Amino acid sequence: MKGKFITVEGTEGVGKTTNIQCIASWLDERGIAYISTREPGGTALGEKIRGLLLDKENTGMAASAELLLMFAARAQHLEEKIIPALEVGTWVLCDRFTDATYAYQGFGRGLNLEHIKRLEALVQGDLHPDFTLILDIDPELGMSRVRARGELDRFESEALEFFDRVRAGYRERASDNPSRYCLVDASSPLAVVQEHIVAALNAFVGGAE
Ligand code: T5A
């Protein structure tokens, strides 16, 4: 029996890290075995690539180089960690995955979505998340949370218009495929956000049974 693949997405400061803990508790309560991981990163090689991608010194990185680095990290992550876990029935909870590539490199940077689709097919074959939670927030509010936390990385240093495009990309993907995505308003108080998340997870397992 294969494990389920859950991903969490959204623009900066939307509360992914905070809400992944809520999903982890929900899995623990049900005695479901899982691993929690992230992109870019998740493996030794992937974390090195993450360092390159987030380093503010790499200001001149070409958008296509950024795209290829995302998929290079993902290829390693899939082979080394995600696929082996799913194959033994372990669930995978991943902080960002390919939806982030469509949203950031496609909608944000303006790269051709068909090129992303081809790289997705090359690296993933027909493997896609079973359930994707998109935390939705006005980027201005998200960035005020990020700024309160400290120094900004290369992505966080982008202009607000960039994140408006990224947000629009996520929303478009969610509305195109409502059976896989759940869009939650992340500007509400945390307790309300988490009520929605738990309801969505219950509906997902109810539907998956
Ligand atoms: N990227 C990634 C791409 O461009 N393409 C790709 O394919 C992939 C995979 C790194 C970057 O890589 C880019 C996108 C990213 O820019 P990341 O580490 O996931 O990805 O980056 P961030 O989005 O910056 O992740 P963060 O950890 O910084 O933000 P989170 O996890 O969304 O936010 P979190 O949980 O740390 O919360 C931020 C603050 O808000 C508070 C929290 O307590 C915290 O202080 N908060 C709330 N406050 C009030 N009300 C609520 N409801 C709150 N929820 C959280």
Side-chain angles (χ1 to χ4, degrees):
M1 200 181 111
K2 285 211 170 219
K4 300 284 178 207
F5 186 15
I6 298 180
T7 56
V8 182
E9 300 277 0
T11 49
E12 314 299 299
V14 80
K16 289 178 294 91
T17 309
T18 313
N19 287 302
I20 278 171
Q21 287 159 16
C22 161
I23 301 176
S25 307
W26 181 89
L27 290 165
D28 285 335
E29 279 162 22
R30 276 154 195 78
I32 296 171
Y34 67 94
I35 56 163
S36 184
T37 185
R38 69 173 181 180
E39 290 214 344
T43 64
L45 177 63
E47 290 295 325
K48 284 185 188 160
I49 295 173
R50 179 187 178 90
L52 292 173
L53 283 160
L54 268 54
D55 187 345
K56 258 199 321 200
E57 285 194 6
N58 294 328
T59 43
M61 187 182 294
S64 51
E66 185 178 281
L67 172 69
L68 292 168
L69 285 172
M70 290 296 174
F71 272 110
R74 184 162 301 135
Q76 187 68 28
H77 198 197
L78 282 161
E79 185 171 314
E80 196 178 316
K81 206 161 172 182
I82 296 177
I83 293 172
L86 294 174
E87 278 179 349
V88 296
T90 299
W91 288 35
V92 175
L93 174 55
C94 193
D95 185 340
R96 296 193 188 279
F97 194 62
T98 306
D99 287 297
T101 313
Y102 280 101
Y104 281 76
Q105 282 67 51
F107 289 80
R109 301 272 189 235
L111 292 178
N112 188 323
L113 298 179
E114 284 305 314
H115 293 166
I116 299 178
K117 213 178 252 182
R118 273 186 239 147
L119 287 168
E120 179 183 35
L122 173 76
V123 168
Q124 293 168 225
D126 58 4
L127 178 71
H128 300 284
D130 297 296
F131 176 78
T132 296
L133 175 70
I134 298 181
L135 296 165
D136 182 59
I137 203 171
D138 179 342
E140 200 160 0
L141 175 57
M143 279 311 297
S144 70
R145 291 180 186 170
V146 170
R147 273 192 291 271
R149 208 176 43 187
E151 216 194 316
L152 305 183
D153 65 33
R154 194 174 64 88
F155 285 99
E156 291 163 350
S157 307
E158 289 291 337
L160 271 180
E161 298 73 53
F162 173 80
F163 298 113
D164 286 337
R165 293 195 296 276
V166 172
R167 181 192 195 191
Y170 275 129
R171 292 174 71 104
E172 189 175 313
R173 288 182 68 73
S175 70
D176 285 351
N177 187 357
S179 61
R180 165 154 71 98
Y181 296 94
C182 171
L183 190 91
V184 170
D185 176 3
S187 62
S188 311
L190 196 52
V192 177
V193 173
Q194 296 192 339
E195 254 174 50
H196 284 294
I197 292 174
V198 167
L201 288 168
N202 288 335
F204 167 64
V205 286
E209 274 163 7

